[in-house]
Each structure stands twice: as C-alpha cells, then as structure tokens.
C-alpha cells in the first residue's frame, strides 16, 4: 500500500497528532481540510496487518511523478492526493496516467487507485480525470458509482473525501461528496479492492495469493542455504545443467500449491457451497432429454423429471443447476448424449454466444501455458522449440495467402543439448469447427483445430540451435517471436501446451503406431471393432 500526499501544499506539514475539532486562527478551515493525519491512518492499516508507506513531496520537488510511480508500481493499492501542489491536479493526473499505462505495458494487473481529496464535487473531478485519460489514449475505463469511480477490466479508480476538519454536520450529500474518516480509510480501500475480484475464479486467485504471502517465511525456510551445495552437486552431475533449474522451479511451485491447499482455499472458494454463489441460470429454462436414468437413491431429485408416460428430462432451472454444480453428472445414474451435455453447459450462460466465448477462453487457459495473443507477456528467453509448441507460417502468392499451423511433437530430451542442425517432427493442425482437439487464439480470434495424428503425415523441419544455450530459440520481429528453419521459412510462435496436454497429444500420435499390420488376421481384427 502506497500513499502519496501533499506536504506543504497548504502551508502545513503532515500531522501525526489527532485532527483538530475545530478551526482556529492558526489552522484555517481550508488548510485543515487538506491535511493528512498520519496516526489514525497507520493505526487503521496496521490493525488489518497491511503495510502502508507514505511519500510526501515538497512543492518544488521536480521528480514527484517518477518517485510516486516507483513507490506505487509494485503495490496492490495506491492512495493519491488529488492536489499534490496548491490548486494543481496535474501531478496526480500524470501519476495515475503513467500507472495505468505502465500496467498495460506489463500485460495487465489488478490495480486500485484511491484519489483522496479535501475538494468536494468529486463526481466532477472524476469526470475530469476520465476526460484526461481518454485524451492520453486510455479508452477502456467507464464511470461507475454515481460518477465517483472509474472501472476497467483490471483497474478501479475511486474518489473519496478527507473528513471535514470543522462542522462535519455541514457535509455535502449526494455524489459530490464521499467523506471517509481517517480511521475508516483502510476499510474503504478493502471494500473498493473487492470490486476488482469479479467472480469466484478471481476470488480464488486473490485468496491463493494471500495464502502464499502468509507462507513467505515458511517457503524461505524450506529453501534455506543448507541446500545450496546439494543443488550445485545436482547441477554439476548431469549432462544438462539447465534441467536442474527446471527441477527447482517445479519444486517451488509444488510448495506454493501446498500453501494454497493446506489452508482449504480451493474447497472454500471453488467447492460445492462456494461455487453455487456464482450461478446465473438462463431464463427461460430448457428441457433436455435424458438417455438413461437409474437413481434408486434419489440423488437427482429436483433435477430429473421422470414421468411414467413421457420422456425423462432435465429442466435447467436455477435450483436444478445449483444441485448439478454441487454433485456433478454421474453417468452411472444419469446419462445424456453428447449434444445434450453441451446444451446443458450452455445453460450456465445468458446466451449461446457468451457460452461459446467463455468456454473457448476456459479451454485455452486449461490447455495452454503461454500464448502469443494471451494476457501473459512473452519473452524470448522463456520460449524454445520443443514438444507442445504450436507454430504457424504464412505464404503469399499474389493476392492469395496460405497459412500452415503445426504442433511440435519432439520429445523434450531431444530438444536440448543440441550442437548441430536438428530435425523436429510436427503434426499438422487442421481447422475444424465440429470435431476439434484444441482452441487457439489467432490474430485476436479463437479458432478450433483438430490434430492430424497419422504417422504418415508427420512433417519434418530442421533448425540450427543457439550455440551457447544448445536449444532452438526464437527471434523477435514486430512484437512476435519467430523460429527460422534451415530452409529459411519463418515459423511464428502461437502457443505452448501445458505438459499434461502435450503428453496427451503425443499419446494420440503414438497410438497410431500400434495399429495391426496389414499381414495380421482380418477376422481377428474384426472381432474388436474399436
């Protein structure tokens, strides 16, 4: 938490003592209303185990924007005084603009900015900030909360008033004022930050991050310096020292998973009782025919309608969907054909188009660890050609162009320690909207593909490895990463599969190598049509 406030903007230094009950000759009303009272603020944050840092620039401080940006860049919430100089909102606007753009350049992050000011009419000031940001090219923010807040995909900027130093009973009402007392400022910050957590998955992510933070000292004790020599021995004793780095990264992430699971956060937020709070059933409800139903224990009572005369159906009302979220779809008791299962999934969305977009995005998240068009910023140091990497190449002939998309199926051990030109096998990915294995985001659009898993159609391309790293690395070109094959074709990085998914596609390919040969018994083959 960072708090950037004026110091001598109104001829007054930041105050530690309690604020005055009324104005005096030495404490004019205007001056007192703009002071920051440190003690109640620090006490309030400390009581919630939140660390709060302060930065008080002088009126003649020329580096106020850069210093404030450095202070606020790595915190979850920043509180900025609206007038860091007398009657001047310019520095605050510049700080906020640079923070927003800095986050965009880093691939986005959850960001809360509180504008804390003695000025009333904050709805008008918020509108001025929105106009300023739009003039600076920030166009994804919208006005909320009666014009006192701006909200974007990952950011919220909320205005609040410092309490009146005198005659608080004369405080303005309505959207023009929102007085937050010094002691209640921490609660206000937490309330506003909660608006950034939209839905159960973001709530889970925030709680998981909190668990990891709580476990920081435990994690440091696990990876203590008594293990340094053991790591060095591991690294020195294997053919590829880089494998030791990957091993330690895996060990560390497994400890992070334990920090999350040991606190029961997964069950608390994503479990049966937490998940149902995110449910928004489609209206009107649909009726889905059931293929097979055998439920003597009545597990699906309230979900399935099974009249003596007529088809057995599921009516997708909110209570029925809540129960399905809690208990799932047990095919030994309740079976639907594939088309009805897909239709059932769509009932959790307002319409079919929203369902398609959301499930496509979820499929990408579940399958891919990195994407060229994904939210995570890519660096060429993190990417090398190996099994699970998807690439594409585009060829132009006159006005016509063709695109080839390939999935690398090179085993990981054959993609490292390379000293000479090395061949890599690829499976072709073919566009298919009905039967597909993979969803990829191509030029801003989700597209579905099926892998050609026939061994006879494997495609081989050769690459020259990076001499020092002994792997095939990409180069950057127009904000894209590209591999160059020895035949001088550029293969643009599209995505990288998560390891289990990469193994799954490899298994599909290997399965085709195990088919019965032509000299096998045809009669015996026909006894098992599968």
């Amino acid at each position: 938490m960072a708090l950037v406030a004026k110091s001598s903007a109104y001829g007054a230094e930041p105050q530690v003592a309690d604020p005055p009950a009324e104005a005096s000759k030495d404490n004019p009303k205007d001056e007192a209303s703009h002071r920051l009272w440190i003690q109640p603020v620090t006490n309030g944050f400390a009581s919630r185990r939140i660390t709060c840092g302060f930065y008080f620039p002088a009126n003649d401080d020329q580096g106020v924007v850069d210093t404030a940006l450095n202070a606020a860049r790595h915190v979850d919430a920043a509180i900025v005084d609206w007038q860091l100089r007398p009657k001047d909102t310019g520095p605050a606007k510049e700080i906020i603009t640079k923070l927003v753009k800095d986050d965009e350049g880093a691939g986005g992050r959850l960001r809360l900015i509180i504008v804390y000011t003695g000025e009333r009419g904050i709805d008008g000031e918020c509108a001025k900030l929105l106009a300023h940001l739009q003039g600076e090219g920030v166009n994804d923010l919208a006005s909320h909360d009666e014009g006192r807040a701006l909200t974007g995909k990952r950011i919220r900027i909320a205005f609040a008033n410092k309490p009146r130093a005198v005659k608080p009973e004369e405080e303005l009402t309505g959207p023009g004022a929102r007085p937050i007392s010094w002691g209640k400022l921490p609660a206000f910050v937490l309330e506003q930050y909660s608006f950034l957590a939209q839905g159960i998955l973001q709530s889970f992510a925030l709680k998981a991050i909190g668990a990891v933070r709580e476990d920081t000292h435990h994690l440091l004790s696990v990876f203590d310096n008594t293990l340094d020599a053991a790591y060095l021995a591991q690294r020195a004793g294997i053919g590829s020292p880089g494998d030791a780095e990957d091993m330690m990264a895996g060990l560390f992430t497994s400890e992070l998973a334990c920090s999350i699971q040991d606190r029961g956060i997964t069950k608390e937020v994503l479990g049966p009782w937490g998940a149902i709070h995110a449910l928004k059933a489609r209206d009107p409800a649909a009726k889905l025919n059931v293929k097979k139903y055998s439920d003597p224990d009545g597990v699906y009572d309230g979900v399935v309608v099974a009249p003596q005369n007529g088809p057995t159906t599921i009516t997708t009302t909110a209570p029925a969907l809540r129960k399905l979220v809690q208990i799932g779809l047990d095919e030994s008791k309740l079976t639907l054909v594939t088309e009805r299962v897909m239709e059932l999934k769509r009932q959790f969305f307002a319409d079919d188009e929203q369902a398609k977009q959301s499930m496509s995005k979820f499929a990408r998240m579940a399958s891919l660890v990195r994407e060229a068009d994904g939210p995570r910023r890519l660096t060429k140091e993190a990417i090398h050609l190996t099994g699970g990497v998807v690439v594409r190449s585009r060829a132009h002939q006159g006005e016509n162009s063709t695109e080839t998309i390939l999935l690398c199926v090179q085993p990981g051990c054959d993609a490292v320690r390379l000293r000479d030109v090395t061949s890599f096998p690829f499976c072709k990915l073919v566009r298919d909207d009905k039967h597909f294995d993979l969803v990829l985001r191509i030029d801003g659009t989700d597209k579905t593909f099926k892998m050609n898993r026939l061994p006879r159609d494997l495609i081989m391309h050769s690459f020259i490895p990076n001499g020092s790293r002994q792997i095939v690395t990409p180069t950057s070109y127009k904000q894209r990463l590209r591999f160059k094959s020895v035949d001088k074709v550029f293969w643009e990085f599209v995505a990288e599969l998560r390891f289990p998914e990469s193994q799954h596609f490899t298994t599909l390919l290997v399965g085709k190598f195990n088919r019965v040969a032509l000299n096998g018994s045809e009669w015996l083959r026909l006894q098992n049509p599968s």
Side-chain angles (χ1 to χ4, degrees):
M1 240 286 307
L3 199 157
V4 183
K6 65 174 65 69
S7 59
S8 55
Y10 288 82
E13 292 299 322
Q15 300 297 300
V16 176
D18 291 334
E22 58 183 25
S24 66
K25 180 180 179 181
D26 298 325
N27 183 35
K29 175 181 175 180
D30 186 50
E31 176 186 314
S33 296
H34 288 272
R35 284 180 171 177
L36 172 67
W37 301 92
I38 297 176
Q39 189 172 38
V41 175
T42 53
N43 289 351
F45 280 111
S47 68
R48 290 169 172 80
R49 295 190 298 174
I50 299 174
T51 301
C52 178
F54 294 85
Y55 167 49
F56 299 105
N59 283 342
D60 58 353
D61 188 345
Q62 299 301 312
V64 55
V65 173
D66 290 337
T67 303
L69 181 65
N70 290 332
R73 179 179 279 131
H74 302 294
V75 300
D76 299 314
I79 304 175
V80 181
D81 206 320
W82 191 225
Q83 294 185 9
L84 288 170
R85 298 191 182 104
K87 305 299 182 182
D88 184 4
T89 62
K93 289 177 181 175
E94 191 175 351
I95 291 168
I96 293 170
T97 302
K98 286 194 172 185
L99 261 181
V100 173
K101 290 188 173 182
D102 189 67
D103 289 345
E104 288 179 352
R109 60 161 290 167
L110 289 183
R111 168 77 67 187
L112 173 66
I113 300 173
I114 301 293
V115 179
Y116 202 34
T117 178
E119 295 296 313
R120 269 49 184 172
I122 57 175
D123 52 344
E125 298 302 311
C126 188
K128 292 177 184 177
L129 176 60
L130 177 60
H132 173 81
L133 288 168
Q134 290 173 340
E136 294 292 328
V138 180
N139 297 309
D140 59 347
L141 295 175
S143 179
H144 284 273
D145 193 10
E146 297 184 293
R148 298 178 298 188
L150 304 177
T151 304
K153 186 176 181 181
R154 301 183 185 92
I155 185 171
R156 183 174 178 86
I157 305 171
F159 277 69
N161 286 128
K162 299 172 185 175
R164 289 176 66 96
V166 293
K167 296 184 179 180
E169 68 277 4
E170 295 181 3
E171 179 61 84
L172 297 176
T173 59
R178 175 160 52 187
I180 304 296
S181 68
W182 310 108
K184 292 182 179 179
L185 182 59
F188 177 74
V189 170
L190 293 174
E191 175 194 55
Q192 293 297 311
Y193 197 84
S194 70
F195 293 133
L196 289 171
Q198 303 280 334
I200 59 171
L201 295 187
Q202 267 194 358
S203 296
F204 165 70
L206 284 174
K207 276 187 169 285
I209 292 168
V212 172
R213 284 179 174 175
E214 288 285 324
D215 243 9
T216 298
H217 293 293
H218 165 73
L219 293 169
L220 291 175
S221 68
V222 171
F223 293 88
D224 69 81
N225 61 356
T226 62
L227 296 174
D228 288 357
Y231 168 72
L232 297 177
Q234 170 76 11
R235 183 181 174 87
I238 57 179
S240 176
D243 291 350
E245 300 165 17
D246 294 337
M247 182 188 76
M248 293 310 301
L251 291 175
F252 186 74
T253 54
S254 69
E255 288 293 329
L256 297 183
C258 288
S259 296
I260 296 166
Q261 294 165 354
D262 289 353
R263 284 168 171 74
I265 291 171
T266 306
K267 189 172 184 62
E268 175 192 347
V269 182
L270 304 177
W273 298 106
I276 59 174
H277 294 296
L279 176 66
K280 295 180 181 178
R282 185 183 298 195
D283 187 25
K287 282 190 175 181
L288 309 178
N289 287 341
V290 173
K291 178 181 179 181
K292 178 182 175 184
Y293 181 55
S294 176
D295 183 20
D297 299 325
V299 173
Y300 288 98
D301 287 352
V303 176
V304 175
V305 178
Q308 290 185 347
N309 297 315
T312 300
T313 61
I314 292 176
T315 302
T316 60
T317 60
L321 292 181
R322 274 196 293 269
K323 191 164 187 177
L324 282 173
V325 167
Q326 291 179 316
I327 64 177
L329 195 63
D330 184 351
E331 292 191 352
S332 67
K333 296 181 172 64
L334 177 60
T335 306
L336 283 72
V337 297
T338 302
E339 290 79 3
R340 297 289 79 77
V341 173
M342 295 302 296
E343 189 174 355
L344 173 63
K345 292 179 181 293
R346 291 193 289 269
Q347 303 313 303
F348 290 87
F349 302 88
D351 53 58
D352 287 357
E353 182 59 30
Q354 186 185 105
K356 180 180 178 181
Q357 292 179 4
S358 181
M359 288 194 288
S360 176
K361 183 178 180 180
F362 188 82
R364 286 171 33 228
M365 182 181 75
S367 303
L368 308 174
V369 66
R370 293 184 181 89
E371 298 177 273
D373 284 350
R376 180 181 294 276
R377 183 176 58 178
L378 290 179
T379 60
K380 62 181 182 180
E381 288 77 15
I383 304 295
H384 72 278
L385 190 59
T386 186
V389 170
V390 179
V391 296
R392 69 169 174 171
S393 180
R394 286 175 283 190
H396 300 276
Q397 292 183 345
E399 296 182 354
N400 300 320
S401 63
T402 58
E403 182 177 67
T404 302
I405 299 182
L406 305 178
L407 169 64
C408 180
V409 289
Q410 182 89 306
C413 57
D414 292 331
V416 296
R417 299 185 290 276
L418 308 179
R419 293 179 174 81
D420 300 310
V421 174
T422 304
S423 294
F424 284 72
F426 295 85
C427 288
K428 191 171 184 178
L429 297 178
V430 183
R431 286 280 285 119
D432 194 325
D433 292 328
K434 292 185 177 181
H435 306 287
F436 50 87
D437 302 306
L438 196 59
V439 180
L440 299 172
R441 194 157 186 82
I442 307 289
D443 297 329
T445 303
D446 284 357
K447 297 180 180 180
T448 52
F449 295 86
K450 187 175 182 64
M451 185 183 83
N452 181 342
R453 58 202 70 179
L454 296 176
R456 70 185 182 207
D457 293 333
L458 277 173
I459 299 171
M460 303 296 294
H461 287 287
S462 297
F463 297 83
I464 300 173
N466 181 300
S468 59
R469 300 180 63 189
Q470 297 185 349
I471 53 177
V472 176
T473 57
T475 57
S476 297
Y477 178 76
K478 293 183 178 180
Q479 297 183 325
R480 297 286 179 174
L481 300 179
R482 305 189 305 178
F483 302 97
K484 184 179 179 181
S485 57
V486 294
D487 56 357
K488 298 182 180 180
V489 175
F490 287 102
W491 293 93
E492 182 182 309
F493 174 84
V494 175
E496 182 180 359
L497 298 178
R498 296 186 186 276
F499 182 72
E501 286 295 305
S502 179
Q503 288 289 93
H504 167 69
F505 282 103
T506 302
T507 300
L508 293 177
L509 174 65
V510 171
K512 293 297 182 180
F513 284 93
N514 296 328
R515 291 184 297 173
V516 175
L518 293 178
N519 59 356
S521 167
E522 183 70 5
W523 174 83
L524 189 59
R525 184 185 68 83
L526 293 175
Q527 305 313 304
N528 185 3
S530 62

